[in-house]
Amino acid sequence: MTVYPQYADLEYGLIGAKLGHSMSPEIHAHLGDYAYDLVELPEDALSDFLTQADFKGMNVTIPYKKAVMPFCAQLTERARAIGSVNTLKRQADGTLLGDNTDYAGFLALVRESGLDVRGKKCLVLGSGGASLTVVAVLRDLGAGSVVTISREGVDNYSNLDRHADAALIVNATPVGMSPHCDASPLASLDGFTKLEGVLDLIYNPAVTNLMQMASARGLVAVNGLTMLVVQAAEAASLWFDRPVNKAICGSLRRELAKKTCNLVLIGMPGCGKTTIGKRLAQRLQRPFVDLDAEIEKSAGMSTEVLLTQYGEPHFREIETRVLRQFANQHGLVLATGGGAVVRPENHILMRRNGLIVWIDRPLQSLATSGRPLSQARGVEAIFAEREPLYRGLADRYVSATDVDEAVRIILGEKSCNS
């Protein structure tokens, strides 16, 4: 076989159109001692790659899960039935075997969610390769009906009111995926009166806008990280002819969620968020971000001057813009300003990749020097307004006057598990 020159040393990896935010290399590094590379391919390069590159095994993602099928000399029964391939294996005769390990991944995701789809209507957003797998799993689990929603066709986004009785919505599109985190495949979930949960195959960000809509109604909302880990383990099992270690899948999923989660500190001005955040970042060996300091960099002036000369509404606009920049990142310790909670837009941003920790401190011990709002309105009035917001947003609550004590409390809590 002719070796495709730039991939002469390639053995295992992932092919897709855009792979900049993939966690797959890190996952496979935990699954075995083999090199795993990301291969971004334009559509016109796919054929040459599949026929010339001498790889041993490949995962396949958007938009090539259907396109790779004609290049497979053999398909597993599962891949043939679904009509989608996400894993390729080089066989002894040099030809390609196509399999669908996404099936096991999505099945694990449904089971993790605790949702029972038997006899219920399920909506699947998107009609690509991932959608085909989702539909197959839901039907095998006994769903009453599974409806695929696409941009065109009988069932589309303009007539969703026909399916207001859906119990489950699965997002099998890339809409809402980083770096386009502000997008959502649906503008609202309000019309779905029987909805029990949302499963989003996206795992970056950890909490998509669609998931936040579901959580706001108290519904189940689970991202695609479990699916990603399990399908990777199934792929490694195929490549190396070994059984899947389910215990490793569970621990790896928790480790990745913990590692990528931002620690977002909220609380009154002067409660110690910056000091505690710096200490946390040092202990965890994570980058530290002081949101007020970043606002000052962006505006070219101090927050005190910004507030007194331009007013609070202008300040809040800048605050949201800067927060959005860091909310889309991972593994940070982020100390917000005391009033960052007053804008609903910021709630969405904080939750996107964040575990939110409320730092509470007695009002009489809060510093007000250099804080125009605290001086003008008084900390009691500000706290009365913001306390419900702090309480409603917080995943963790820490009441401590000592920095080291606060850090110990935070580190002693269960880690983020989105």
Side-chain angles (χ1 to χ4, degrees):
M1 175 177 291
T2 303
V3 177
Y4 204 41
Q6 58 265 57
Y7 302 115
D9 298 324
L10 184 67
E11 292 190 342
Y12 301 96
L14 172 67
I15 57 174
K18 295 181 180 180
L19 305 174
H21 299 275
S22 176
M23 291 184 186
S24 291
E26 186 170 1
I27 292 172
H28 283 275
H30 284 79
L31 294 175
D33 184 18
Y34 52 94
Y36 188 94
D37 298 291
L38 298 179
V39 182
E40 288 193 352
L41 291 174
E43 187 175 355
D44 59 6
L46 181 65
S47 176
D48 283 349
F49 177 83
L50 293 174
T51 56
Q52 296 181 37
D54 196 19
F55 57 83
K56 296 179 180 178
M58 280 285 133
N59 285 133
V60 183
T61 191
I62 297 171
Y64 300 133
K65 293 186 178 184
K66 296 179 184 178
V68 299
M69 294 182 69
F71 297 90
C72 298
Q74 183 181 353
L75 297 172
T76 63
E77 183 178 343
R78 179 169 53 186
R80 185 181 298 105
I82 293 172
S84 173
V85 164
N86 79 303
T87 302
L88 301 170
K89 179 181 180 178
R90 182 77 62 192
Q91 301 185 101
D93 62 0
T95 62
L96 294 177
L97 168 68
D99 194 9
N100 188 309
T101 63
D102 276 341
Y103 184 98
F106 184 66
L107 180 61
L109 179 59
V110 176
R111 288 173 173 166
E112 176 194 314
S113 74
L115 294 167
D116 184 358
V117 302
R118 288 176 296 181
K120 299 173 184 176
K121 176 181 279 189
C122 302
L123 298 189
V124 181
L125 308 181
S127 55
S131 172
L132 297 175
T133 304
V134 169
V135 169
V137 172
L138 293 175
R139 285 175 175 165
D140 288 349
L141 288 174
S145 64
V146 183
V147 181
T148 299
I149 306 297
S150 57
R151 287 189 292 268
E152 300 175 351
V154 176
D155 296 297
N156 57 68
Y157 292 94
S158 67
N159 58 25
L160 282 172
D161 56 323
R162 299 167 53 187
H163 307 293
D165 56 340
L168 172 66
I169 294 176
V170 181
N171 180 31
T173 79
V175 180
M177 182 169 62
S178 182
H180 306 294
C181 303
D182 292 327
S184 173
L186 300 180
S188 172
L189 296 176
D190 292 344
F192 298 98
T193 57
K194 295 185 178 181
L195 192 62
E196 298 175 15
V198 165
L199 303 181
D200 200 324
L201 304 195
I202 292 172
Y203 58 88
N204 183 12
V207 185
T208 63
N209 285 2
L210 184 66
M211 290 172 61
Q212 292 204 44
M213 292 179 202
S215 296
R217 286 180 49 182
L219 307 177
V220 172
V222 184
N223 69 24
L225 186 55
T226 289
M227 179 176 177
L228 180 71
V229 170
V230 172
Q231 69 79 25
E234 291 279 343
S237 173
L238 175 70
W239 295 335
F240 303 109
D241 298 314
R242 67 188 187 200
V244 174
N245 188 325
K246 294 183 179 179
I248 287 181
C249 290
S251 62
L252 179 54
R253 185 250 185 231
R254 290 187 292 272
E255 181 180 339
L256 288 170
K258 175 181 177 181
K259 182 177 180 180
T260 57
C261 180
N262 295 328
L263 284 175
V264 181
L265 308 185
I266 62 173
M268 284 287 287
C271 71
K273 297 184 296 294
T274 297
T275 305
I276 292 169
K278 287 180 178 178
R279 195 74 56 84
L280 275 171
Q282 184 180 30
R283 290 280 302 276
L284 295 170
Q285 296 185 322
R286 290 185 173 202
F288 172 70
V289 175
D290 183 329
L291 192 62
D292 280 347
E294 296 298 331
I295 291 170
E296 291 179 346
K297 290 180 186 178
S298 177
M301 65 186 74
S302 70
T303 56
E304 184 177 1
V305 171
L306 192 59
L307 281 163
T308 54
Q309 291 191 6
Y310 295 92
E312 186 177 359
H314 180 69
F315 174 85
R316 296 299 173 205
E317 289 290 339
I318 298 174
E319 182 178 55
T320 297
R321 185 179 73 238
V322 175
L323 176 59
R324 177 173 284 107
Q325 173 188 347
F326 292 101
N328 292 348
Q329 298 181 31
H330 297 91
L332 304 176
V333 176
L334 173 61
T336 66
V341 298
V342 302
R343 298 192 83 192
E345 301 98 312
N346 294 349
H347 301 182
I348 294 172
L349 296 173
M350 291 179 195
R351 293 186 189 280
R352 183 165 287 168
N353 285 310
L355 178 75
I356 302 176
V357 182
W358 174 19
I359 308 295
D360 194 17
R361 195 173 183 183
L363 298 186
Q364 62 270 22
S365 66
L366 299 179
T368 59
S369 177
R371 303 179 189 278
L373 294 181
S374 295
Q375 292 172 348
R377 299 180 55 198
V379 293
E380 292 82 4
I382 292 175
F383 183 74
E385 171 191 303
R386 296 177 184 173
E387 189 273 344
L389 300 174
Y390 293 142
R391 189 173 300 279
L393 274 172
D395 299 303
R396 302 283 186 268
Y397 171 80
V398 176
S399 178
T401 56
D402 180 79
V403 172
D404 289 328
E405 180 185 1
V407 170
R408 285 193 296 269
I409 292 172
I410 295 171
L411 294 179
E413 293 281 356
K414 185 183 292 185
S415 298
C416 179
N417 188 18
S418 305

